[in-house]
Amino acid sequence: MSLLVKAVLVALVTWLTFFDKYCTQFFTYRPIVIGPIIGLIMGDLKMGLMVGCTIELMFLGQVFVGTALPPEETFSTIIATAFACISGSTEVALATALPLAILGQMGMYFRNMVLCVWTQHRLEAAVERGSRTGITMNCLIPF
């Protein structure tokens, strides 16, 4: 399987994983689950399992406190596992896991900031128009 096909499959699994994380909550987004899946796609299940277990242990005790977001373990696992499978070394995954998690955390902050401000402006406009549908849609579906 070519690297392009693997990248497309990893992108599709990433989308499904984040959909689960924010909508369905089947916990497929945990590193111990997603690591072997990415390893299987990349052609090295054993490497995916090793990386997924290691990153799961790294982020096992993280909790949300107030509105502070913890480092993004799902993004970190997906990219670090792919890097490890391409390079054939778990050291690459361990070296990149935390920086990738912090990069994912910054992306989540940016996403939340943009979506919340944009949705709030749309909600205020719907209130001024007196549109119940607009109010409902902007409160339930932030897009």
Side-chain angles (χ1 to χ4, degrees):
M1 188 176 347
S2 74
L3 194 57
L4 179 62
V5 173
K6 290 178 185 179
V8 169
L9 287 173
V10 167
L12 179 64
V13 168
T14 301
W15 185 87
L16 291 171
T17 301
F18 277 103
F19 180 79
D20 173 47
K21 186 171 187 170
Y22 295 110
C23 295
T24 57
Q25 294 284 314
F26 290 125
F27 286 91
T28 60
Y29 61 87
R30 294 303 304 171
I32 201 164
V33 177
I34 195 64
I37 294 171
I38 299 299
L40 188 64
I41 290 172
M42 297 300 290
D44 194 350
L45 178 64
K46 182 180 176 184
M47 181 74 69
L49 188 59
M50 288 190 301
V51 171
C53 288
T54 304
I55 295 176
E56 179 73 36
L57 289 173
M58 289 171 64
F59 294 106
L60 193 60
Q62 74 180 9
V63 292
F64 289 93
V65 179
T67 59
L69 296 174
E72 177 56 55
E73 78 279 358
T74 306
F75 175 76
S76 172
T77 304
I78 292 169
I79 304 299
T81 304
F83 284 169
C85 289
I86 290 171
S87 70
S89 170
T90 56
E91 288 84 11
V92 171
L94 295 176
T96 59
L98 193 56
L100 287 170
I102 293 170
L103 184 66
Q105 177 188 30
M106 290 188 315
M108 285 183 359
Y109 273 122
F110 180 72
R111 180 206 62 198
N112 291 348
M113 182 177 59
V114 169
L115 281 180
C116 289
V117 169
W118 187 49
T119 304
Q120 182 64 36
H121 288 304
R122 290 170 44 109
L123 178 62
E124 289 171 356
V127 168
E128 287 175 5
R129 287 192 317 267
S131 169
R132 288 186 180 188
T133 305
I135 293 169
T136 304
M137 294 298 286
N138 285 297
C139 287
L140 297 178
I141 305 170
F143 58 101

